[in-house]
Amino acid sequence: MEQWQNIYSNFEPIAFSIGDISVHWYGIMYALALLSAIVVAKWFINHDKIQINQDIFDSYIWWAEIGVILGARLGYIIFYDPNTTYYLTHPWQIFNPFINGEFTGISGMSYHGAVIGFILASYLFCKKNKVSFFFLADIAVLGVSAGYVFGRIGNFFNQELVGRTTDVPWAIYVDGVLRHPSQLYEAILEGIVIFIILVSVRKYKSFDGQLALLYGILYSLARIIAEVFRQPDIQLGFLYSNWLTMGMLQSGFFALLCMIIYFLKKKNKLIS
């Protein structure tokens, strides 16, 4: 247990270097997240014999990934970054991986920003190709929930989004303080658990969009639970009293929106 608690003292976040460019485990995990999401989604298309043109789906992957990356970065800048005004007035710096001439990579991504980017990109793709948005979304969330696990493991390896202080036996030292490994809680709750649920109920869905909306509701609830163990972002702190965080606020709104749409779809008041 002592080795586990001191894991950060013995862990090198840089996997390897190519010249002056260092490749971090964080980046590798995010690449695996995107790759695994694609592989899992395609596996279910073949296994469940879902009627969709492979060329259409392959094109959709590019749209969705671009939407996710743009949305995640812009979402972080708008909701979390203390230098929002600077980035909005210097947009060319948003994806600049260099600071003072030194390669540092791009850090700072927002999950809810990624969701917004994903939805917008998916909507535009579906309008262009005359495909049902909710039909595609049901396929996508199976891959997203699986790939999400790697994303949170990447956060753990990058020693970011750390947990709150605690004295539980499995706590880990972060800068000399014992904290919850909240990134792993999120990987389990928001990734593995939700993936298992979606896979289990996918063949019983009664309308297109049911899996996607169920994912939105389950993710939001899991995120709110995980936020109880996660240290609020240092630049924001608690938004209200000593309990409300930005993640809780966004997740609560997202859950409510998904519940409303779920109800309307269930009552056949929304088209696909």
Side-chain angles (χ1 to χ4, degrees):
M1 188 60 71
E2 184 178 349
Q3 281 188 322
W4 165 251
Q5 290 187 325
N6 290 280
I7 185 171
Y8 282 161
S9 298
N10 305 307
F11 179 76
E12 174 55 61
I14 298 175
F16 58 90
S17 298
I18 302 176
D20 294 330
I21 298 176
S22 298
V23 178
H24 290 68
W25 285 109
Y26 174 83
I28 292 174
M29 288 298 108
Y30 264 74
L32 284 175
L34 291 172
L35 181 61
S36 61
I38 296 169
V39 171
V40 169
K42 285 198 167 191
W43 187 89
F44 280 109
I45 288 174
N46 294 326
H47 182 270
D48 294 350
K49 296 179 172 56
I50 298 173
Q51 297 302 308
I52 182 171
N53 184 287
Q54 284 290 348
D55 290 336
I56 289 290
F57 189 74
D58 287 342
S59 296
Y60 169 64
I61 289 170
W62 286 105
W63 282 66
E65 287 192 3
I66 291 172
V68 165
I69 293 170
L70 289 176
R73 184 67 180 132
L74 290 173
Y76 180 84
I77 287 170
I78 293 170
F79 295 121
Y80 294 97
D81 201 295
N83 300 306
T84 302
T85 303
Y86 170 78
Y87 280 112
L88 293 182
T89 55
H90 300 77
W92 57 90
Q93 293 292 343
I94 292 175
F95 287 95
N96 182 8
F98 294 91
I99 295 180
N100 297 324
E102 181 181 349
F103 182 85
T104 58
I106 300 171
S107 62
M109 298 287 184
S110 162
Y111 171 83
H112 290 96
V115 170
I116 294 171
F118 167 80
I119 291 173
L120 289 176
S122 297
Y123 175 77
L124 292 173
F125 177 86
C126 290
K127 289 288 287 185
K128 180 177 184 293
N129 293 276
K130 296 179 173 58
V131 182
S132 165
F133 169 82
F134 285 113
F135 170 73
L136 264 184
D138 277 350
I139 301 172
V141 293
L142 292 170
V144 168
S145 56
Y148 187 87
V149 178
F150 292 102
R152 285 308 185 201
I153 292 175
N155 294 141
F156 179 75
F157 284 165
N158 210 41
Q159 304 179 27
E160 61 185 4
L161 308 183
V162 299
R164 301 188 192 184
T165 57
T166 183
D167 58 358
V168 295
W170 57 88
I172 60 173
Y173 281 105
V174 182
D175 295 328
V177 179
L178 280 173
R179 296 183 179 276
H180 284 286
S182 58
Q183 311 96 322
L184 302 184
Y185 297 173
E186 293 193 69
I188 295 169
L189 285 174
E190 301 160 18
I192 296 172
V193 172
I194 293 177
F195 175 72
I196 291 172
I197 293 174
L198 293 180
V199 170
S200 301
V201 305
R202 75 188 193 283
K203 290 193 174 181
Y204 303 101
K205 74 172 192 173
S206 57
F207 59 88
D208 282 341
Q210 190 167 12
L211 290 183
L213 294 167
L214 182 60
Y215 170 79
I217 295 167
L218 290 174
Y219 172 85
S220 298
L221 295 177
R223 175 68 180 268
I224 290 171
I225 293 171
E227 286 279 326
V228 174
F229 303 97
R230 175 172 157 177
Q231 184 74 7
D233 295 86
I234 190 170
Q235 71 274 26
L236 296 179
F238 290 104
L239 301 184
Y240 176 76
S241 187
N242 226 5
W243 63 274
L244 182 64
T245 66
M246 178 62 80
M248 286 180 177
L249 182 64
Q250 291 177 335
S251 295
F253 175 79
F254 191 47
L256 180 61
L257 180 62
C258 288
M259 287 177 185
I260 292 171
I261 298 174
Y262 190 100
F263 175 78
L264 293 175
K265 288 283 289 181
K266 191 76 173 176
K267 296 295 183 180
N268 294 315
K269 293 182 179 179
L270 269 183
I271 61 174
S272 298

